[in-house]
Amino acid sequence: ATRADFARRAGVSRWEDLEIPPGSEERKQKLAGFETALGSGLAVWFLRRDEGPFLEGRTPMYADLIVGGWLQMMRNCLPEWEELGGWHEGLWGKLHDALQQWAEVS
């Protein structure tokens, strides 16, 4: 799919209409809301174990890989990745780093 296809499916006239400008108040509010949502939801499940960064501790399971895919996308698309990776005791950055050995398929 192209950017034009995605924009059409999202109900906007052009790709650029989807961007929330970096540094804008709207973007800061969206990021704060995202941090809160992750903290009261997904982070709770990951932080309940001390043995490792994964949901079940030291060994990743399918759900870890799904979250890891989203983290990889965010790392490549969001200029705020360093900030996001540090949220919730650095959980997202640690999880992303721990999954890197499975990130490339050859």
Side-chain angles (χ1 to χ4, degrees):
T2 65
R3 288 182 175 191
D5 291 332
F6 189 86
R8 181 181 46 77
R9 290 178 191 157
V12 296
S13 58
R14 56 193 190 108
W15 173 260
E16 291 76 14
D17 294 338
L18 294 168
E19 182 181 13
I20 301 171
S24 69
E25 191 57 40
E26 180 184 5
R27 191 172 183 107
K28 290 175 187 173
Q29 289 175 357
K30 297 272 188 206
L31 285 168
F34 187 42
E35 180 180 12
T36 299
L38 284 176
S40 63
L42 197 54
V44 172
W45 288 95
F46 278 95
L47 293 172
R48 66 188 176 112
R49 296 192 182 269
D50 293 332
E51 305 89 43
F54 307 116
L55 284 167
E56 291 295 326
R58 293 188 182 140
T59 305
M61 55 190 223
Y62 185 66
D64 296 300
L65 300 175
I66 297 298
V67 173
W70 281 99
L71 293 174
Q72 184 73 10
M73 183 272 304
M74 287 184 246
R75 181 182 170 275
N76 289 311
C77 295
L78 295 178
E80 298 89 356
W81 166 251
E82 292 300 322
E83 176 186 349
L84 190 151
W87 291 348
H88 312 111
E89 302 172 27
L91 167 66
W92 309 115
K94 291 174 193 172
L95 180 60
H96 176 270
D97 292 347
L99 287 169
Q100 286 308 294
Q101 63 183 308
W102 296 284
E104 186 175 323
V105 178
S106 51

